[in-house]
Amino acid sequence: MSDKTWLFTSESVSEGHPDKVCDRISDAVLDAYLAADPEARVACETLATTDHVTIAGEVRGPESVLRDVEEITRNAIRDIGYEQPGFNWETAEVICRLHAQSADIAMGVDEGEKGEEGAGDQGIMFGYACNETDELMPAPIQFAHRILRHMAEDRKSGRQPAFGPDAKSQVTLKYRNGKPVGVDTVVVSTQHTEGVTQDEVRQMVEPYIKGAFPDDWTLPAERLIVNPTGQFIIGGPDGDAGLTGRKIIVDTYGGAAPHGGGAFSGKDPTKVDRSAAYVSRYLAKNVVAAGLADKCQIQLAYAIGVPEPVALYVNTLGTGRVDEEKLARTLREMVRLTPRGIREHLGLLKPIYTRTAAYGHFGREATEDGGFSWERTDLADELARSFGMSQAAE
């Protein structure tokens, strides 16, 4: 029987993409509230266009943070690198329309008699992991992020000053029998300074493509497409308006797994759109790290004001080595999946969210200060033992 082959594509966008500028501002506001009060409630949305930013939403926390929102916004824009005509951290108009949290929502979410809180909204959340990469992520999205992240690092360090903040990448990989075996096509569009030719932009981009993939993967020159529409000088919110939460597939698994629909940025961890998506990834990653499956997809579902999830579904997509129903029961015993239980287990009441706003919320390295705690694999050994395996897969 012949090998089954196919192509799969994922895209990423840089921190200077208009939507990612908005995600960054929303998460910076969230971090400011959590730094001032870990129990703050935040649902912050941002819109950005030519020399203008509007921040709106609902909050419950120290009033002093509200006075700092304009400074927080300008600092975020400056750190991204926007100091250009049409969008400049110093001159952009910043309008803040944050207001107090709805009493009706607060009533359903606040702590009840049993010390639990209801979910901040109804909804479904998905988590996913697979053994295609060391990070247990789908390979196309990891490579797409890697290209842009390294380009941004060199832009901001001064090694490649001709790059602008706004950029997109798209990676198409070849798969054989479920495993990535090579690269088929790469598309990169990057903002650049005036006076740089398209040939020069291509030459600047090529090393980042070569460095992103395994050494034995080759890409024919005609399959690398750089700035296909021509020059890209006007970028960021001056070129296209941005909104918080419009890049949910970039934020997650690049289309390799379902998404529940809720965005992450600007939301405190009582909102299960964020916290339950994080714990779903955490559980799925530990299942794969334990060697119980090559792929694992987890769905959680919640009702507003109800602490416990109304459903937990585990699907190992035909790669599992254990009973999925028993696996679901075991996971619920290991981690309390109420909003409070998730926050406590993953340590989510910390100002750790600004760093998630670009290059993916998953497939990152957990840090000592609690950042990306959902990427830990500290359940893997216990999971392996629960199913009669001596230790997690290496």
Side-chain angles (χ1 to χ4, degrees):
M1 189 168 95
S2 61
D3 292 341
K4 184 178 180 182
T5 61
W6 65 87
L7 302 177
F8 191 83
T9 305
S10 294
E11 71 158 348
S12 179
V13 298
S14 72
E15 63 204 75
H17 184 280
D19 297 328
K20 280 293 154 196
V21 172
C22 295
D23 286 346
R24 170 67 175 272
I25 293 168
S26 292
D27 275 334
V29 171
L30 169 62
D31 277 353
Y33 271 101
L34 292 177
D37 177 6
E39 299 294 334
R41 300 284 168 77
V42 180
C44 177
E45 310 290 347
T46 302
L47 175 146
T49 186
T50 301
D51 260 340
H52 177 90
V53 177
T54 292
I55 300 103
E58 58 178 31
V59 297
R60 189 173 73 187
E63 292 187 7
S64 59
V65 178
L66 203 58
R67 296 192 291 270
D68 294 336
V69 166
E70 180 174 345
E71 182 181 3
I72 291 166
T73 299
R74 295 191 188 281
N75 288 341
I77 296 169
R78 178 173 57 184
D79 186 71
I80 292 168
Y82 277 113
E83 193 169 355
Q84 61 189 40
F87 199 70
N88 188 302
W89 68 272
E90 287 187 292
T91 60
E93 178 186 32
V94 178
I95 302 296
C96 179
R97 290 291 183 265
L98 292 170
H99 60 83
Q101 183 186 47
S102 162
D104 290 344
I105 292 177
M107 179 175 60
V109 176
D110 285 344
E111 184 175 314
E113 293 180 0
K114 296 182 179 180
E116 288 289 0
E117 302 149 352
D121 201 354
Q122 71 176 46
I124 58 174
M125 299 83 206
F126 286 93
Y128 181 74
C130 62
N131 59 8
E132 293 180 13
T133 63
D134 291 342
E135 300 88 356
L136 303 185
M137 283 285 287
I141 190 67
Q142 283 298 94
F143 291 132
H145 287 323
R146 187 177 300 167
I147 292 166
L148 295 185
R149 189 174 65 250
H150 291 166
M151 289 172 60
E153 288 169 356
D154 283 358
R155 169 181 62 85
K156 295 170 84 171
S157 72
R159 291 185 61 187
Q160 193 52 272
F163 286 147
D166 195 356
K168 300 178 76 172
S169 65
Q170 184 173 285
V171 170
T172 301
L173 296 187
K174 304 172 187 177
Y175 279 75
R176 182 175 296 118
N177 294 329
K179 299 293 183 182
V181 296
V183 55
D184 180 84
T185 307
V186 175
V187 183
V188 174
S189 295
T190 180
Q191 186 184 11
H192 57 84
T193 56
E194 291 191 65
V196 179
T197 68
Q198 294 311 293
D199 285 343
E200 290 171 333
V201 172
R202 183 184 180 92
Q203 291 172 11
M204 290 189 297
V205 167
E206 284 178 343
Y208 298 95
I209 309 302
K210 183 177 180 181
F213 298 104
D215 292 339
D216 58 343
W217 286 13
T218 59
L219 178 67
E222 67 273 13
R223 304 303 292 175
L224 171 58
I225 303 168
V226 178
N227 283 18
T229 62
Q231 74 175 22
F232 184 2
I233 297 170
I234 300 171
D238 187 33
D240 190 10
L243 288 170
T244 300
R246 281 205 300 200
K247 289 292 178 283
I248 58 177
I249 301 303
V250 171
D251 284 344
T252 54
Y253 308 102
H259 191 292
F264 302 155
S265 289
K267 297 177 181 177
D268 75 76
T270 67
K271 280 73 170 173
V272 286
D273 277 344
R274 184 166 217 158
S275 57
Y278 286 175
V279 81
S280 297
R281 160 65 177 173
Y282 173 68
L283 296 177
K285 185 175 184 180
N286 275 274
V287 168
V288 175
L292 305 184
D294 294 335
K295 300 178 182 181
C296 184
Q297 177 181 298
I298 288 179
Q299 184 199 57
L300 285 168
Y302 289 84
I304 188 169
V306 179
E308 293 286 345
V310 299
L312 165 64
Y313 172 58
V314 178
N315 184 354
T316 55
L317 303 164
T319 70
R321 302 176 182 90
V322 299
D323 179 74
E324 290 175 346
E325 290 186 12
K326 180 182 177 182
L327 180 55
R329 291 194 302 269
T330 302
L331 292 173
R332 290 195 79 149
E333 292 168 0
M334 295 177 74
V335 179
R336 187 161 50 99
L337 296 174
T338 63
R340 178 178 288 277
I342 295 169
R343 293 201 312 273
E344 291 177 349
H345 191 93
L346 296 180
L348 297 181
L349 290 178
K350 300 174 182 176
I352 54 174
Y353 298 103
T354 299
R355 70 194 77 172
T356 69
Y359 314 118
H361 292 245
F362 308 126
R364 310 283 288 273
E365 186 175 351
T367 58
E368 291 184 0
D369 67 351
F372 300 103
S373 59
W374 49 94
E375 291 298 310
R376 302 188 317 244
T377 54
D378 52 332
L379 298 182
D381 285 338
E382 184 179 353
L383 269 171
R385 289 192 298 270
S386 296
F387 288 89
M389 300 180 182
S390 59
Q391 61 181 12
E394 294 295 331

